[in-house]
Amino acid sequence: MPALKKTVMTVLSAALLSVSVVSPAGAADKDKTDDKQPKPTGQMSTVGGKRLGEVGTQVDLGPGAPVLPKELTARSWIVADAEDGKVLASHNAHWRLPPASTLKMLFADTVLPALQPKTMTHLVTEDELAGIGEGSSLVGVKEDQSYTVHDLWLGVFLRSGNDAVHVLSEMYGGVPATVAAMQRHAEELQALDTTVVSPDGYDSPKQVSSAYDLTLFARSGMQKADFREYAATATAKFPGAQKKGKRESFEIQNTNRLITGDIGVDPYQGIAGVKNGYTTHAGNTFTGIAERDGKVLLVTVMNPSSEESHAVYKEAAHLLDWGFASEGKVTPVGELVPPRSAVPAKDSTPAAGADKAEKKHPAAAAATGPAGTNGVWTALAIAGGALVVLAGGVFLVNRRWPLPDLVRRLPRH
């Protein structure tokens, strides 16, 4: 028996030794794989909390919380509660990357309030269509044809039309004025990772944003009734050529596949927008908002490395599913900060977690459109008072967002 016991102990020891050797080797292999993924090369911002400035995935799972999806390959992503602003999880949230057409959310949030009423018509000139980047997405705006502001916004949101963006920019006061206003509005929203070079998001040197900033743009924009309407529209008629005294039209479809669906991707239950994009340098980018059982979540995904078709939408859907399933089961790792104007003047404290470099940013002036139009931030008072600034400086989003009917029409999956 002693000999047998010794033999058994020897076998068990060898087995344990084997596990202790193999397990770290497997972890090392995983680390090597992770090392192949691109990572931020410089220090990231800490606006919204220190954790949001750290490299890699940030999440605090509580009891019963589901694990994060395994299918995530994006360079940067974030999932947050749209109403209270709590960031449920993130990955390189402040990495400054090319935004592609998701930057059009900032464009719309800046310009849309100034160009009213939306029934206003405009005759397009040749000059207004000049300077559009080669290979740009277009909705089909033609010179010497008239369009309503409503038509042009449908072209921006549904077809990501850079031609519509340039015409609206000229109506606002010109492309340079629009870019300057967008930059001021980004700073007002405390989206300090963003540098605006072009209003349409076309690849330009130094033009960058971040998953965090794009989420701020979506959160701000969705508090405007017109923005919500355009962001959730699946299909629409767009004016075409004038023939035999009659204006023809053609159908345009939203390129946000979580709204319209496509091969391999279903419409997402409760989706209400917001914007997708793609350029050579940015890869695929997407910010979406969805509501389920009274909970409203925002998600942004930037540049997935997966070669799977529609990876950006699939990863966004996985994150939304995770966010809805995680309600009350995770500790937030940060927050979506309020705009500067929501902080009382007597309170000189910078945004939560703002680093020293960001403390130097001056308070941005409200973006002003042509002919002395009011600052864009004041437009957030539309739709029944979407914002409330309490005496203590707390920034709240209206908890009764009138999200579009599309939210309730889409099937469950």
Side-chain angles (χ1 to χ4, degrees):
M1 284 296 293
L4 178 60
K5 182 177 181 180
K6 182 176 181 180
T7 300
V8 171
M9 292 300 296
T10 301
V11 171
L12 287 173
S13 297
L16 290 172
L17 180 60
S18 175
V19 170
S20 67
V21 171
V22 172
S23 197
D29 290 340
K30 184 178 184 300
D31 290 341
K32 290 178 181 178
T33 301
D34 292 342
D35 287 342
K36 295 178 182 179
Q37 296 296 324
K39 290 181 175 63
T41 55
Q43 183 176 358
M44 291 190 292
S45 165
T46 55
V47 169
K50 183 179 178 181
R51 292 281 298 274
L52 301 182
E54 296 179 8
V55 175
T57 301
Q58 308 302 317
V59 65
D60 285 337
L61 301 176
V67 297
L68 282 167
K70 297 179 180 180
E71 303 88 347
L72 303 178
T73 66
R75 292 189 177 189
S76 175
W77 55 260
I78 190 171
V79 55
D81 188 307
E83 295 177 324
D84 65 20
K86 300 301 183 184
V87 176
L88 305 183
S90 70
H91 181 79
N92 300 329
H94 280 291
W95 191 357
R96 297 173 182 179
L97 297 166
S101 287
T102 45
L103 193 66
K104 289 183 173 76
M105 294 187 296
L106 174 62
F107 169 73
D109 197 36
T110 303
V111 174
L112 190 152
L115 299 183
Q116 297 292 337
K118 60 185 178 182
T119 55
M120 177 173 55
T121 60
H122 177 76
L123 181 65
V124 176
T125 68
E126 180 181 2
D127 289 344
E128 291 172 338
L129 296 176
I132 298 174
E134 183 179 354
S136 288
S137 53
L138 305 172
V139 66
V141 176
K142 303 296 182 184
E143 62 183 87
D144 299 327
Q145 297 284 347
S146 293
Y147 301 86
T148 66
V149 169
H150 178 70
D151 293 330
L152 294 170
W153 282 120
L154 287 171
V156 171
F157 277 86
L158 272 66
R159 296 300 302 173
S160 204
N162 289 4
D163 46 357
V165 169
H166 277 249
V167 172
L168 289 166
S169 295
E170 291 299 331
M171 294 176 67
Y172 188 77
V175 170
T178 302
V179 167
M182 289 170 65
Q183 189 67 58
R184 290 195 299 270
H185 189 43
E187 292 172 5
E188 157 63 11
L189 294 177
Q190 304 206 62
L192 305 181
D193 297 325
T194 299
T195 299
V196 183
V197 179
S198 67
D200 49 25
Y202 188 82
D203 282 335
S204 301
K206 299 183 179 180
Q207 180 154 273
V208 293
S209 190
S210 66
Y212 184 87
D213 284 9
L214 293 174
T215 307
L216 290 181
F217 302 152
R219 191 185 189 211
S220 177
M222 287 296 290
Q223 293 172 72
K224 298 176 174 64
D226 287 348
F227 189 107
R228 289 196 300 273
E229 174 193 345
Y230 295 130
T233 300
T235 61
K237 294 292 185 181
F238 194 80
Q242 189 86 17
K243 291 186 179 180
K244 297 181 181 180
K246 183 179 180 181
R247 189 77 178 268
E248 296 182 341
S249 66
F250 56 93
E251 185 174 276
I252 57 175
Q253 185 183 65
N254 202 319
T255 54
N256 176 352
R257 298 310 180 195
L258 290 191
I259 287 180
T260 57
D262 201 358
I263 298 174
V265 61
D266 294 326
Y268 190 83
Q269 175 207 342
I271 193 69
V274 178
K275 192 72 189 74
N276 56 301
Y278 173 80
T279 63
T280 302
H281 291 95
N284 286 288
T285 59
F286 175 71
T287 297
I289 187 168
E291 185 272 340
R292 193 176 294 176
D293 299 326
K295 192 75 171 176
V296 185
L297 296 181
L298 278 163
V299 63
T300 295
V301 175
M302 302 187 76
N303 200 354
S305 61
S306 172
E307 296 182 359
E308 185 179 11
S309 176
H310 298 313
V312 73
Y313 301 110
K314 293 176 181 178
E315 295 189 19
H318 292 319
L319 283 169
L320 286 170
D321 284 344
W322 175 86
F324 287 122
S326 298
E327 183 178 3
K329 300 174 183 176
V330 297
T331 301
V333 295
E335 65 175 346
L336 302 177
V337 295
R340 291 184 186 276
S341 57
V343 179
K346 63 180 181 179
D347 185 358
S348 59
T349 304
D355 56 32
K356 294 181 180 179
E358 288 152 354
K359 291 177 185 178
K360 297 179 181 179
H361 275 268
T368 303
T373 53
N374 293 330
V376 292
W377 187 252
T378 62
L380 291 179
I382 68 174
L387 299 184
V388 179
V389 181
L390 302 181
V394 179
F395 170 72
L396 298 176
V397 177
N398 182 2
R399 296 194 63 82
R400 296 185 303 277
W401 274 10
L403 292 177
D405 287 340
L406 179 66
V407 171
R408 289 169 286 281
R409 290 203 307 269
L410 290 177
R412 295 184 178 274
H413 73 291

